[in-house]
C-alpha cells in the first residue's frame, strides 16, 4: 500500500545534540512538507520541497535543516540551534499541481531530555 | 494575510446525533480550496472533506458534509449519525490556488470533538 512512513515514532534528544527525523513516501508525490505541532498552536510549516534538490523555508525554519536528494525521502534535522524542539512532527506529501489534500505520515514525537 | 479561525476549542455530541463544527477564514482571494482534516488519538492527520471555492455545491462524503458560505467566508463541517470513532481533533485549513506560496496550507487551531455513548 502506498503511504508515508515516519520514523522513529518516539525520539529523545539530549540538549546540544542534532537529531534527524526520517520521512519516506512511495506515492510518487513531487512535493513534501514538514510541520511542527504544539498544543494550542495548530500546525506550523517548517520546510517544504516541491522537487528533488530544492526546498524552501516555511514559517519556523530556524534551528532546522532538510535535504531532498531523492524524490521518496525528505529527512528533517533538528539542530542544537533549535531552542525548544520538544514537539510532535508531521511529514506530508502531495502531487504537484493537483489541489487535492495532503497525505500525512503518522508523526514523530521528539522530547528533549 | 490569510487566516483560519475555529471558534470552538471543544465540542461534544451524543452517539448517533448530529454535530456542526465551525470554521471562518479571511482572504481577499476569489479562488481557493478549503479542507477539513481529522486527527484521532493516533495523531495521524486524515483528510475528511475538500471544497473548491468556485463550486457552489457543498461537498459531501458519506456522513460528513460542509456548509460553504463564500460571501460570509464560512466553512462549517456537519457530522451526521455520530460514531465513537469520530472522536478526534478536527482542523480546518485553507489554501490559495495562485501565487508562489500556493501550496502552503493555512491551519486553524482545531476543535476537539468528544462522542458520548
Amino acid at each position: 500500500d502506498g503511504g508515508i512512513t515516519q520514523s522513529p515514532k518516539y525520539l529523545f534528544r539530549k540538549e546540544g545534540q542534532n537529531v534527524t527525523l526520517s520521512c519516506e513516501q512511495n506515492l510518487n508525490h513531487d512535493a513534501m512538507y514538514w510541520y511542527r505541532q504544539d498544543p494550542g498552536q495548530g500546525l506550523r510549516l517548517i520546510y517544504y520541497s516541491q522537487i528533488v534538490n530544492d526546498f524552501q523555508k516555511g514559517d519556523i525554519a530556524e534551528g532546522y535543516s532538510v535535504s531532498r536528494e531523492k524524490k521518496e525521502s525528505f529527512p528533517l534535522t533538528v539542530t542544537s540551534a533549535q531552542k525548544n524542539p520538544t514537539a510532535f512532527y508531521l511529514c506530508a506529501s502531495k502531487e504537484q499541481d493537483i489541489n487535492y489534500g495532503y497525505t500525512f505520515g503518522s508523526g514523530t514525537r521528539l522530547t528533549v531530555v | 494575510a490569510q487566516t483560519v479561525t475555529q471558534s470552538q476549542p471543544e465540542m461534544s455530541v451524543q452517539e448517533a446525533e448530529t454535530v456542526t463544527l465551525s470554521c471562518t477564514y479571511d482572504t481577499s482571494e476569489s479562488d481557493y480550496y478549503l479542507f477539513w482534516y481529522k486527527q484521532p488519538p493516533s495523531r495521524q492527520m486524515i483528510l475528511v472533506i475538500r471544497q473548491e471555492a468556485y463550486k457552489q455545491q457543498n461537498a459531501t462524503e458519506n456522513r460528513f458534509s460542509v456548509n460553504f458560505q463564500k460571501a460570509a467566508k464560512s466553512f462549517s463541517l456537519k457530522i451526521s449519525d455520530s460514531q465513537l470513532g469520530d472522536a478526534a481533533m478536527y482542523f480546518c485549513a485553507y489554501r490559495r490556488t495562485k501565487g508562489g506560496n500556493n501550496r502552503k496550507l493555512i491551519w486553524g487551531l482545531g476543535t476537539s470533538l468528544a462522542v458520548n455513548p
Side-chain angles (χ1 to χ4, degrees):
Chain A
D1 285 341
I4 297 181
T5 301
Q6 288 188 243
S7 61
K9 192 172 180 68
Y10 299 96
L11 186 57
F12 297 89
R13 189 196 94 169
K14 293 183 180 178
E15 291 206 24
Q17 279 185 337
N18 293 353
V19 291
T20 298
L21 284 59
S22 171
C23 178
E24 302 278 334
Q25 55 102 355
N26 60 3
L27 300 165
N28 201 34
H29 286 174
D30 293 305
M32 297 186 74
Y33 307 80
W34 274 106
Y35 285 94
R36 171 176 171 146
Q37 188 176 25
D38 295 280
Q41 295 199 44
L43 276 73
R44 293 183 289 168
L45 182 63
I46 305 172
Y47 268 98
Y48 64 100
S49 168
Q50 297 174 6
I51 195 169
V52 175
N53 292 323
D54 184 60
F55 48 83
Q56 307 294 328
K57 292 182 179 180
D59 300 318
I60 55 165
E62 184 175 351
Y64 300 97
S65 66
V66 293
S67 63
R68 188 85 187 277
E69 297 176 1
K70 299 186 300 180
K71 188 175 185 177
E72 303 79 17
S73 179
F74 191 42
L76 174 74
T77 296
V78 184
T79 74
S80 56
Q82 171 51 240
K83 297 307 178 189
N84 185 22
T86 294
F88 187 67
Y89 292 85
L90 281 163
C91 179
S93 71
K94 187 180 78 66
E95 285 189 67
Q96 196 73 301
D97 297 326
I98 294 179
N99 284 301
Y100 297 146
Y102 296 5
T103 300
F104 282 83
S106 55
T108 293
R109 173 70 183 177
L110 173 63
T111 303
V112 174
V113 297
Chain B
Q2 296 88 8
T3 59
V4 175
T5 301
Q6 294 179 248
S7 58
Q8 307 150 316
E10 297 179 349
M11 294 278 287
S12 65
V13 63
Q14 290 296 125
E15 197 175 1
E17 298 291 309
T18 295
V19 65
T20 298
L21 308 184
S22 300
C23 173
T24 59
Y25 57 95
D26 187 24
T27 184
S28 58
E29 304 286 331
S30 60
D31 197 15
Y32 48 86
Y33 288 82
L34 295 163
F35 304 89
W36 277 100
Y37 280 89
K38 168 185 177 181
Q39 188 178 39
S42 67
R43 302 204 72 176
Q44 182 159 14
M45 201 72 76
I46 302 165
L47 178 65
V48 175
I49 201 164
R50 177 179 70 108
Q51 175 80 43
E52 294 93 333
Y54 65 86
K55 289 187 177 179
Q56 293 185 338
Q57 186 174 6
N58 289 325
T60 63
E61 287 288 341
N62 301 314
R63 298 183 295 107
F64 298 87
S65 62
V66 298
N67 183 5
F68 174 48
Q69 301 289 328
K70 191 173 184 179
K73 297 179 183 175
S74 172
F75 183 60
S76 60
L77 175 70
K78 186 172 82 171
I79 306 174
S80 304
D81 185 26
S82 296
Q83 301 175 359
L84 294 177
D86 295 332
M89 184 73 83
Y90 286 82
F91 291 93
C92 179
Y94 161 101
R95 185 171 73 232
R96 62 193 296 197
T97 59
K98 294 184 176 136
N101 254 348
N102 70 328
R103 292 161 182 85
K104 178 179 170 179
L105 277 170
I106 310 296
W107 296 84
L109 295 184
T111 296
S112 178
L113 177 66
V115 180
N116 303 315

